[in-house]
Amino acid sequence: MTGNLLTAVPQAARYLLDGQLVAIPTETVYGLAGNALDAAVVAEIFRVKNRPSFDPLIIHGHSPEQLFALAASVPAGARQLADAFWPGPLTLLLPRGPEVPDLVTAGSPFVALRVPRHPLTLALLRSLPFPVAAPSANPFGYVSPTTAQHVADQLGDQIAGILDGGPCEVGLESTIVGFPDGKPAIYRRGGISQEAIEALLGLVEQAPANPLPVAPGMLARHYSPATPLILGDIPALLATAPEPHKVAVLSFSRPYRSGYPQDIVLAPDGQLATAARHLFAALRTLDASGMVQIIGEWLPDEGLGRAINDRLRRAAAQDTIGL
Ligand code: TXA
Ligand code: MG
């Protein structure tokens, strides 16, 4: 599939002003953007993405001032996080203000807000008279796109254009933080680590597993390749794999065998940030490689490693449970 690749911000702005959808680069993953304040445009985002209407969208803007105007109230902790991490891979879940269409929040009393860090998208957002709603630009349930080509492959013929900002720098979605009972809680792990948030606000909770509304980033099976992914001790899993040449190994920092070009090492430099940046592209490559199985391993459970492990766990899950 091909898409209308755009390199100029004003072109993308014209489509958005015209009520059309444009995929936008962010530092986390590509988003599928449309005017957040126009319910008909938001409905079109749900249709193109084949996304269930109970799954709310993040609103993206250029500044805390623009976004906080969409909230009914802003806890002090949210302002601190915005000061520290915006623009950046952090989404704040705040009580929703009256301007936000029902469809964006799926009827929830909370709205998700984020200032992304990609320079092209920031320039685009500054040039628009409205904020944009933007889910990750992939069909619902599939691996998020980290290049313009990923978007073109799956949604290219259904949207007005794709603003090409190169490969995403972080590679994992934003961390979602809300304030149930006034205290910060993480609803989705992502590009800002729990440790970084705790350095600012003190101990932070993991949000309850089954909140209302449901955040599908919390669904057990999500971010999933079609090829089965099994996680564990790679040598042990390889020893029991029936046909080693039909299996691909996805490892953190070192190869486990030689002579199998399908294998991928996420971070030869041993850095978690490198692994995060490469994870989704690696899952797509492996999915297209015709293997019968992907064998992977857990990463160190700290910093970005916890968000990566969360995505691996969901990519490996067999069923959609967790509703
Ligand atoms: O990094 C990101 O966050 C990317 C880029 C494009 O900004 N966006 C992204 O959007 O990952 P999406 O739609 O794929 O995931 C957003 C998550 C979903 O799990 C959704 O349920 C949750 O945020 N969410 C959005 N609004 C919410 C709300 N009002 N209440 C609870 N969860 C919400
Ligand atoms: Mg998504």
Side-chain angles (χ1 to χ4, degrees), residues 93 108-110 187 208-215 218 323:
L93 202 52
S108 154
F110 295 95
Y187 285 77
N210 189 14
L212 280 177
V214 169
M218 300 176 109
L323 280 172

Side-chain angles (χ1 to χ4, degrees), residues 28 51 55-56 58 60 110 112 114 135-136 173-174 176 188 215-217:
T28 61
R51 180 170 176 126
D55 185 1
I58 297 172
H60 297 67
F110 295 95
R114 169 163 122 80
S136 53
E173 297 86 347
S174 59
I176 303 181
R188 177 178 70 181

Side-chain angles (χ1 to χ4, degrees), residues 5-6 11 29 56 60 62 117 186 198 201 264 267 285 291:
L5 288 192
L6 311 172
Q11 272 180 303
V29 301
H60 297 67
H62 56 71
R117 191 167 67 203
I186 294 181
E198 290 185 337
L201 298 184
I264 295 182
T285 302
M291 298 291 126

Side-chain angles (χ1 to χ4, degrees), residues 4-307:
N4 177 22
L5 288 192
L6 311 172
T7 50
V9 167
Q11 272 180 303
R14 265 198 300 280
Y15 287 125
L16 289 165
L17 284 165
D18 190 38
Q20 301 195 60
L21 306 188
V22 175
I24 55 169
T26 84
E27 77 284 22
T28 61
V29 301
Y30 276 72
L32 177 58
N35 182 350
L37 305 182
D38 183 330
V41 172
V42 174
E44 183 65 3
I45 296 177
F46 279 92
R47 193 191 64 74
V48 166
K49 208 183 134 82
N50 196 20
R51 180 170 176 126
S53 59
F54 61 74
D55 185 1
L57 306 180
I58 297 172
I59 298 185
H60 297 67
H62 56 71
S63 63
E65 296 69 38
Q66 181 192 25
L67 291 181
F68 287 161
L70 300 172
S73 63
V74 184
R79 286 188 195 279
Q80 274 178 279
L81 289 176
D83 283 347
F85 299 119
W86 279 356
L90 173 81
T91 293
L92 294 171
L93 202 52
L94 301 181
R96 156 196 178 179
E99 235 196 307
V100 180
D102 269 347
L103 201 50
V104 172
T105 68
S108 154
F110 295 95
V111 61
L113 305 169
R114 169 163 122 80
V115 179
R117 191 167 67 203
H118 195 288
L120 282 186
T121 287
L122 270 180
L124 175 65
L125 290 168
R126 286 193 190 107
S127 77
L128 293 170
F130 47 76
V132 301
S136 53
N138 52 283
F140 182 70
Y142 194 67
V143 179
S144 297
T146 52
T147 67
Q149 190 58 50
H150 291 164
V151 182
D153 288 344
Q154 293 189 303
L155 301 177
D157 61 355
Q158 297 190 69
I159 58 182
I162 304 166
L163 183 58
D164 187 353
C168 299
E169 175 201 335
V170 175
L172 291 180
E173 297 86 347
S174 59
T175 302
I176 303 181
V177 178
F179 298 84
D181 315 320
K183 283 186 239 140
I186 294 181
Y187 285 77
R188 177 178 70 181
R189 294 193 182 282
I192 301 280
S193 69
Q194 180 168 344
E195 292 90 330
I197 294 168
E198 290 185 337
L200 202 69
L201 298 184
L203 276 192
V204 165
E205 319 231 316
Q206 181 76 28
N210 189 14
L212 280 177
V214 169
M218 300 176 109
L219 291 179
R221 183 171 172 81
H222 208 72
Y223 313 106
S224 299
T227 314
L229 166 66
I230 299 185
L231 297 163
D233 180 57
I234 289 175
L237 291 170
L238 275 176
T240 59
E243 296 167 285
H245 62 285
K246 288 196 180 163
V247 162
V249 172
L250 178 65
S251 58
F252 172 36
S253 56
R254 67 178 185 88
Y256 281 86
R257 52 182 193 170
S258 54
Y260 295 91
Q262 69 266 34
D263 291 0
I264 295 182
V265 177
L266 285 171
D269 64 3
Q271 299 296 311
L272 291 169
T274 309
R277 193 177 315 126
H278 295 151
L279 177 67
F280 288 152
L283 288 174
R284 281 174 186 261
T285 302
L286 293 177
D287 219 8
S289 68
M291 298 291 126
V292 298
Q293 192 178 76
I294 305 167
I295 289 176
E297 64 184 348
W298 300 108
L299 273 65
D301 212 33
E302 63 191 28
L304 276 183
R306 297 168 85 174

